[in-house]
Amino acid sequence: MKRAIPVLVLSVAGLIPVWRYAPSHDTGSSTAPAQAAAPASTPSASSSGGTTTTVVSGSLVDTEKGPVRVEVTFDGDEIASVRMLQQPDHPQTAAAVPKLIEETLRAQSADIDTVSGATVTSDGYKESLQAALDAKG
């Protein structure tokens, strides 16, 4: 009887990760994910009162969790806003996106920190963001 309780507790503790496991939505590929499936878009610009607003879409990046693509709006040479055009349908991604956008606006570059718990999405975000920055020139 003395061993039954620890065995039961350890068995339940070992099953908790199995119950909480959420498989990723794999595209059927068993190799590394394809990077930069679609190139960044050509910048579209509009001018109002001497300030040029440019909108550029980053490349589509296929990650293990799903596709990631950003759209960056520039006000002159400054990043005015970032919008996710495509993102994985994953709880960690939903929590990470506002942090990634905030960090991008603060840093004004793609040199930002990865969000803990959403490493795959963060890496895809940074790659798509860098492609948009490169397309802008």
Side-chain angles (χ1 to χ4, degrees):
M1 184 64 182
K2 289 181 181 180
R3 291 185 185 177
I5 292 174
V7 168
L8 180 64
V9 168
L10 291 173
S11 296
V12 170
L15 288 174
I16 289 174
V18 174
W19 290 328
R20 293 184 48 113
Y21 176 73
S24 64
H25 300 288
D26 193 8
T27 59
S29 173
S30 61
T31 60
Q35 298 296 317
S41 71
T42 308
S44 63
S46 64
S47 181
S48 67
T51 305
T52 304
T53 302
T54 308
V55 179
V56 182
S57 294
S59 60
L60 178 67
V61 180
D62 286 325
T63 69
E64 333 175 331
K65 302 288 184 185
V68 175
R69 186 176 206 159
V70 300
E71 178 183 83
V72 182
T73 303
F74 295 92
D75 193 11
D77 287 333
E78 183 176 312
I79 299 173
S81 68
V82 179
R83 185 170 68 110
M84 292 291 281
L85 296 178
Q86 287 184 288
Q87 69 186 43
D89 183 23
H90 205 270
Q92 284 93 349
T93 298
V97 168
K99 295 175 186 175
L100 291 167
I101 292 172
E102 180 182 338
E103 186 74 20
T104 301
L105 295 175
R106 189 173 314 138
Q108 290 293 305
S109 73
D111 186 21
I112 59 174
D113 291 334
T114 299
V115 175
S116 179
T119 304
V120 172
T121 300
S122 296
D123 290 345
Y125 172 90
K126 290 192 287 187
E127 186 174 335
S128 183
L129 177 63
Q130 186 62 55
L133 296 174
D134 292 344
K136 164 77 165 72

